[in-house]
Amino acid sequence: MIKYKILLIVCCLFFSCEDFLDEVPRSQKTTVGTSLVDAEQSVNGIYAFLRAPYNKSGYAKMVFSILEVSTGAMKPAIGTQDTDMEDAYKLIYSSSNSSASSFWSTYYSGIEAANIAIASIPAITDTELTPAISKALLGEAHFLRAYYYFELVQLFGDIPLNIVPSTSLEDGTLPKSSVQEVYETVILPDLLFAESAGLPNTSTSGRVTNGAVKSLLAKVYLTMAGNPLNQTDKYALARDKASEVITADWYNLFESDGSLTWFDKLNNPAFDNTGENIFMVQYEGGSIASSISTYFTPLGGEDITNQSLHFGGMEPEVDYINTYDGADLRGQNQGFFFNEFDGVTFNNSVYKYFYQEFRNSNGLSSKNVPLLRYADVLLTYAEAQNETTSADALAYDALNSIRLRAGLAEVSGLSKEAFREEVWKQRFWEFPAEAGLIWFDQRRTGKVFNGGGFTDLVGSTLPNGSTLTADNLYFPIPQNEVVLNPNLGD
């Protein structure tokens, strides 16, 4: 129940940049101190709020599941016992949904931590905090604040907007701001500031990079071009920003080689923060352990793991699996999903996060969770270029690189509409169980793929028979927040 008041921010003993992921909220502060170390710690702590949606909470519960099971792609695993996910699967979007509330409270806590860092760092006079270091730290803080607001505005629509520490406010009853105002007041300015902050283009540290900033900017522009803003002039900006990332040659799609398939590289911690992984939620098995592998280790798979805890989490809908082309590696066993391993069969489960060595470990995984992946940038460029004018050679290269890796033939000579729908299909098949990307795509396009073609999202029916209405375009603001702040009511 986090609102506009003093919030927890980070204060800990780990000073090095390499240890930033160990920062956890531990004390109440409204300023960050007077030294370089204080400035570093204040920014390190903003990262901690990325984790909550991807941490197992309670028995077999993971917050981001509510974004996956409303899409027609995923469903709750048998026996999962996650009522929030079950409700979302039935398209019951309640203001008492604790997973939706977790998104709200966690991301607003991250925003508050960012506000404090952004307000305080410029006032630090420590000579070790050079202008270049200061601007880079502020760039990270602005990026993270933009990311949290971007997620919130896609989840909830009109939301309160606050870009100063809460203690600067007379009370905690901010009104809702429009979706457009949130984008134009904070998300875009924050990302443009971060882009000018002198951040490294790439890094294996897990920290914010210039590549991550540009990739998120491209994604933000593409989203603004769709529902509800429909600012179609943003397609050109999305195209240009994605093009910068592609032509810089900073990232590459994982490819199969030797004994490793590209799917095994996606789920192997050794490949985190490299290749196509642009920005990820960071974990370290010894101190900040990831539960994503435990969550998705399949039910009925006792013979493939010695772990006492494994939940299956979410499973792909049969109807969704059947939309894949028979030649598409993503829909085959040990692609994005699997129902057999080492001769053992079980319910079809998510292979994306099944790190094979984890099954015989001590239960502590270091598997990071992708938030921005190069495949997303490629498909962003392809869609945005096609909408701006028409698909050019680079747009076809981007689209076909995704198809070829999946085992599908190249396409060429498509009409504008056919190219658009081919990009949308590839997004639908590329991003299941991944940071709610399919859910966000369906909201911005207003379309859903049913295997035969695209139909309107509102009025569409999930495989379980539930029909999606306009009330399912956003989650309602949590009731406990409305009680605290009546301005958040309808």
Side-chain angles (χ1 to χ4, degrees), residues 20-306:
F20 79 98
L21 73 163
D22 291 310
E23 308 275 354
V24 292
R26 298 201 338 198
S27 67
Q28 288 186 334
K29 295 178 68 175
T30 57
T31 59
V32 302
T34 59
S35 71
L36 168 62
V37 168
D38 291 325
E40 290 175 339
Q41 288 178 350
S42 71
V43 173
N44 290 351
I46 309 170
Y47 287 86
F49 300 99
L50 294 170
R51 295 193 192 105
Y54 308 98
N55 290 342
K56 186 176 70 66
S57 58
Y59 182 83
K61 181 174 182 177
M62 193 163 282
V63 166
F64 91 106
S65 68
I66 64 172
L67 305 183
E68 303 292 338
V69 297
S70 301
T71 64
M74 307 298 296
K75 64 179 180 179
I78 296 173
T80 301
Q81 301 178 23
D82 178 353
T83 56
D84 289 345
M85 177 166 53
E86 292 284 354
D87 282 350
Y89 182 56
K90 299 171 187 174
L91 296 178
I92 301 171
Y93 284 14
S94 168
S95 61
S96 61
N97 186 296
S98 63
S99 290
S101 181
S102 179
F103 270 119
W104 179 281
S105 61
T106 299
Y107 286 166
Y108 268 115
S109 295
I111 288 166
E112 177 68 359
N115 287 341
I116 292 170
I118 290 167
S120 301
I121 288 175
I124 295 177
T125 58
D126 185 350
T127 56
E128 292 185 348
L129 182 63
T130 65
I133 295 174
S134 176
K135 189 166 186 179
L137 288 171
L138 288 169
E140 293 180 65
H142 279 280
F143 172 92
L144 291 167
R145 184 170 69 177
Y147 176 82
Y148 293 136
Y149 267 121
F150 183 46
E151 293 289 292
L152 286 168
V153 81
Q154 291 180 97
L155 281 160
F156 298 102
D158 296 347
I159 56 173
L161 180 60
N162 182 25
I163 57 175
V164 297
S166 295
T167 50
S168 302
L169 303 175
E170 293 183 0
D171 57 39
T173 57
L174 287 173
K176 288 191 287 188
S177 294
S178 70
V179 170
Q180 181 172 339
E181 186 178 2
V182 175
Y183 276 104
E184 294 178 352
T185 302
V186 62
I187 297 174
L188 287 180
D190 271 1
L191 289 176
L192 292 172
F193 179 95
E195 191 179 26
S196 69
L199 297 170
N201 291 328
T202 63
S203 173
T204 59
S205 69
R207 301 188 76 95
V208 176
T209 62
N210 194 37
V213 175
K214 291 178 182 294
S215 298
L216 186 57
L217 256 175
K219 194 169 185 67
V220 166
Y221 286 136
L222 185 69
T223 302
M224 295 178 73
N227 294 321
L229 298 182
N230 295 307
Q231 296 180 355
T232 55
D233 61 305
K234 296 297 192 296
Y235 280 122
L237 297 175
R239 173 202 61 191
D240 294 345
K241 202 55 60 178
S243 176
E244 288 182 39
V245 177
I246 295 168
T247 56
D249 201 27
W250 293 329
Y251 307 101
N252 58 274
L253 293 176
F254 289 133
E255 299 290 350
S256 301
D257 57 70
S259 61
L260 284 178
T261 69
W262 65 274
F263 304 103
D264 292 321
K265 293 179 181 179
L266 279 178
N267 63 32
N268 189 330
F271 293 89
D272 286 349
N273 304 326
T274 66
E276 65 184 274
N277 289 315
I278 297 174
F279 188 62
M280 310 182 80
V281 183
Q282 301 294 305
Y283 292 96
E284 195 284 310
S287 57
I288 306 293
S290 171
S291 53
I292 197 81
S293 298
T294 298
Y295 181 71
F296 280 115
T297 298
L299 294 171
E302 287 78 7
D303 291 335
I304 65 170
T305 179
N306 64 5

